[in-house]
Amino acid sequence: MARILILILTTILTLSACTAPEPQIGSDGKPLPKLYRIRAGDTSRVQFSMLDSVNSLRQAAGHGTVDLDAALNAAAATHSRDMSVQNRPWHFGSDGSSPIDRVRRVGYSGNLVGENISETYETELETLAAWMEEPGTRQVILAPDARKMGFAWLQEDNGKIWWTLVMGD
């Protein structure tokens, strides 16, 4: 009898440990976001996830696809790091550089089409969705003359992510 009771208690405890925790709710009544942590080995996965999504959106709009460009990736990474240092999302570097200056510094030979930036805790695809909701950032993503894309980020220890997307012709 004692064995059956122990078996039942063990089963109940095991099953109760399997239940999902209740999501925390914010003041707006929506679930609080979960921390999105990008690991060091995730660079290719995140970049190609963004590239595939951007290209799907571009094709749906009747535009050609873009390719990742190493120089534009470098320009985007430099700016993401600089925005973190400045602790503000804006298009000018701490040295006064513009997006055009940054793509020239990394040796990109084409022309800058545009730059999108974001300061967020959201994933790359959530960030892309937010960019697509705003006319100015949407225009950069869907620019008909864009042929190349750079995409990078810097994630701070607290989880905040500084995203930069650069499009070139």
Side-chain angles (χ1 to χ4, degrees):
M1 182 68 160
R3 285 185 188 188
I4 293 174
L5 186 57
I6 291 173
L7 182 60
I8 291 171
L9 279 173
T10 303
T11 303
I12 290 171
L13 288 173
T14 302
L15 290 175
S16 67
C18 293
T19 60
E22 291 291 321
Q24 293 182 325
I25 305 297
S27 60
D28 60 359
K30 295 180 181 177
L32 293 174
K34 294 180 181 177
L35 181 62
Y36 178 61
R37 183 64 66 185
I38 303 172
R39 296 180 309 238
D42 288 345
T43 301
S44 291
R45 179 191 60 79
V46 172
Q47 283 182 323
F48 283 104
S49 172
M50 180 62 89
L51 178 66
D52 290 344
S53 298
V54 164
N55 280 333
S56 292
L57 292 166
R58 290 178 59 79
Q59 287 177 320
H63 302 303
T65 60
V66 294
D67 297 315
L68 276 177
D69 183 87
L72 292 179
N73 284 341
T78 298
H79 193 55
S80 291
R81 188 172 27 261
D82 194 39
M83 286 189 297
S84 172
V85 168
Q86 296 181 71
N87 196 33
R88 65 177 171 179
W90 74 324
H91 293 282
F92 295 96
S94 55
D95 61 355
S97 61
S98 71
I100 294 170
D101 297 329
R102 287 189 295 276
V103 299
R104 292 287 172 249
R105 285 180 189 165
V106 296
Y108 183 69
S109 59
N111 295 306
L112 175 74
V113 171
E115 176 184 77
N116 289 346
I117 58 173
S118 181
E119 167 196 18
T120 185
Y121 292 88
E122 297 178 324
T123 69
E124 65 277 4
L125 298 183
E126 290 169 321
T127 302
L128 177 59
W131 284 336
M132 289 299 289
E133 290 177 8
E134 297 296 323
T137 51
R138 179 184 179 93
Q139 184 178 359
V140 170
I141 293 163
L142 299 180
D145 55 336
R147 300 289 176 265
K148 302 290 181 181
M149 182 181 99
F151 181 65
W153 60 91
L154 182 122
Q155 185 166 35
E156 297 178 351
D157 292 339
N158 66 6
K160 182 191 296 185
I161 306 170
W162 300 88
W163 298 105
T164 305
L165 178 138
V166 182
M167 299 294 260
D169 66 5

